[in-house]
């Protein structure tokens, strides 16, 4: 594609840039190829810069395994219309210094992925909450810098949130989660996985405040017990999936209620689990009528 663009560049550049090239042609060219294309000539460089300034979605994984810091700053310096920002490939070097200017000038952001960006600070989340009132989806998985105060800021200013990933945000306790769901009652997907501080109080508040909830991940939340799962079953009729693997205090007595409704669970019924273990031990599963 790049060869065809460059071989007929005289005709291509004669097309209207803002009406044709940017919205209808360049949007189909991989970002990595566009960066190469801008080295063809000064005219192509100007065209690509115009495209980058009007880009609605930026995904660092499209560039390669590790986008250079200087390249990231250069690519987004003129953009003020981003709606989606995915930076999981920038975790090795991304700090507040690089991220905050991008957040500050893009107030239309609806989706942000920062999973694994461990070098950011709580100021990044505060900046997101203050600058992105339209935010719908946010991934902060394995961002242990997320604390109660920054999460409260998010809850106060981003009440339209529908999906939030707080996997391994280990500073958060029940009180912070409760405050979040009281303010963000439109949540449909929430992950609190790998957080031993989360218990029944948070799960019950999630159930009572988020009637639209469809997906909940509680993997490794060791303090969660049967009672809160029953409350979840009572208050969340739209729940479609629940992950409770390694929640040792959650038993089939509560999960069976959800299982009977067709909710997808990540733990098998006790009998089926026993058969799997038996098969692992003896190499085959005996014939047992599972209808009994």
């Amino acid at each position: 594609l790049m060869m065809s663009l460059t071989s007929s560049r005289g005709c291509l550049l004669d097309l209207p840039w803002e009406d044709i090239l940017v919205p209808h042609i360049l949007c189909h060219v991989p970002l990595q190829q566009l960066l190469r294309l801008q080295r063809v000539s000064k005219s192509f460089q100007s065209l690509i810069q115009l495209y980058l300034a009007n880009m609605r979605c930026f995904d660092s994984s499209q560039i390669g395994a590790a986008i250079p810091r200087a390249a990231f700053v250069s690519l987004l310096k003129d953009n003020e219309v981003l709606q989606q920002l995915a930076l999981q490939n920038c975790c090795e070097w991304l700090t507040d210094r690089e991220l905050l200017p991008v957040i500050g000038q893009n107030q239309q952001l609806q989706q942000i992925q920062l999973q694994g960006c461990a070098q950011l600070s709580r100021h990044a989340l505060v900046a997101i909450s203050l600058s992105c009132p339209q935010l719908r989806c946010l991934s902060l998985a394995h961002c242990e810098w997320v604390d109660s105060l920054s999460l409260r800021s998010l809850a106060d200013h981003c009440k339209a949130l529908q999906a939030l990933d707080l996997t391994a945000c280990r500073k958060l306790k029940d009180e912070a989660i409760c405050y979040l769901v009281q303010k963000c009652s439109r949540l449909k997907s929430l992950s609190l996985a790998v957080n031993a501080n989360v218990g029944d109080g948070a799960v019950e508040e999630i159930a009572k405040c988020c009637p639209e909830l469809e997906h909940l991940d509680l993997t490794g939340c060791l303090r969660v017990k049967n009672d809160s799962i029953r409350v979840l079953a009572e208050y969340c009729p739209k729940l479609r999936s629940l992950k409770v693997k390694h929640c040792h205090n959650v038993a089939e007595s509560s999960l069976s209620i959800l299982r009977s409704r067709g909710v997808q669970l990540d733990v098998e019924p006790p009998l089926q689990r026993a058969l799997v273990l038996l098969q692992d031990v003896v190499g085959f599963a005996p014939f047992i009528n599972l209808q009994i």
Side-chain angles (χ1 to χ4, degrees), residues 155-197:
D156 285 335
H157 297 94
C158 298
K159 298 180 182 179
L161 266 178
Q162 295 182 2
L164 179 60
D165 190 345
L166 296 173
T167 297
C169 294
R170 296 184 178 90
K171 290 184 179 180
L172 300 177
K173 299 181 180 180
D174 279 6
E175 294 78 11
I177 303 302
C178 290
Y179 188 87
L180 169 75
V181 297
Q182 289 166 5
K183 300 285 186 176
C184 300
S185 58
R186 300 182 190 178
L187 279 172
K188 294 183 178 181
S189 177
L190 178 62
S191 175
L192 301 173
V194 199
N195 190 339
N197 292 319

Side-chain angles (χ1 to χ4, degrees), residues 103 107 123-133 153-154 156-158:
I103 296 297
Q107 300 187 6
H123 300 295
L125 185 52
V126 173
I128 289 171
S129 64
L130 295 177
S131 300
C132 307
S153 179
L154 181 72
D156 285 335
H157 297 94
C158 298

Side-chain angles (χ1 to χ4, degrees), residues 66-189:
I67 173 175
R69 185 195 312 254
F72 170 79
V73 173
S74 176
L75 288 173
L76 296 181
K77 62 183 176 63
D78 297 323
N79 194 303
E80 298 180 358
V81 295
L82 277 178
Q83 295 180 1
Q84 301 178 34
L85 181 63
L87 300 177
Q88 59 270 35
N89 276 40
C90 305
C91 57
E92 295 295 327
W93 53 262
L94 185 68
T95 67
D96 294 355
R97 182 177 180 179
E98 294 80 31
L99 180 64
L100 265 56
V102 176
I103 296 297
Q105 66 192 32
N106 285 280
Q107 300 187 6
Q108 300 178 44
L109 277 165
Q110 298 181 17
Q111 299 182 29
I112 301 177
Q113 296 181 33
L114 296 174
Q115 58 264 41
C117 294
Q119 298 190 49
L120 297 174
S121 76
R122 59 183 300 273
H123 300 295
L125 185 52
V126 173
I128 289 171
S129 64
L130 295 177
S131 300
C132 307
Q134 302 179 45
L135 193 63
R136 299 291 186 275
C137 303
L138 176 62
S139 176
L140 298 169
H142 302 281
C143 293
E144 297 196 20
W145 44 264
V146 177
D147 60 10
S148 298
L149 288 176
S150 57
L151 193 69
R152 288 174 72 93
S153 179
L154 181 72
D156 285 335
H157 297 94
C158 298
K159 298 180 182 179
L161 266 178
Q162 295 182 2
L164 179 60
D165 190 345
L166 296 173
T167 297
C169 294
R170 296 184 178 90
K171 290 184 179 180
L172 300 177
K173 299 181 180 180
D174 279 6
E175 294 78 11
I177 303 302
C178 290
Y179 188 87
L180 169 75
V181 297
Q182 289 166 5
K183 300 285 186 176
C184 300
S185 58
R186 300 182 190 178
L187 279 172
K188 294 183 178 181
S189 177

Side-chain angles (χ1 to χ4, degrees), residues 1-9 33 37:
L1 178 58
M2 188 176 74
M3 291 179 63
S4 64
L5 288 174
T6 55
S7 63
S8 59
R9 64 187 182 187
Q33 299 298 328
L37 185 62

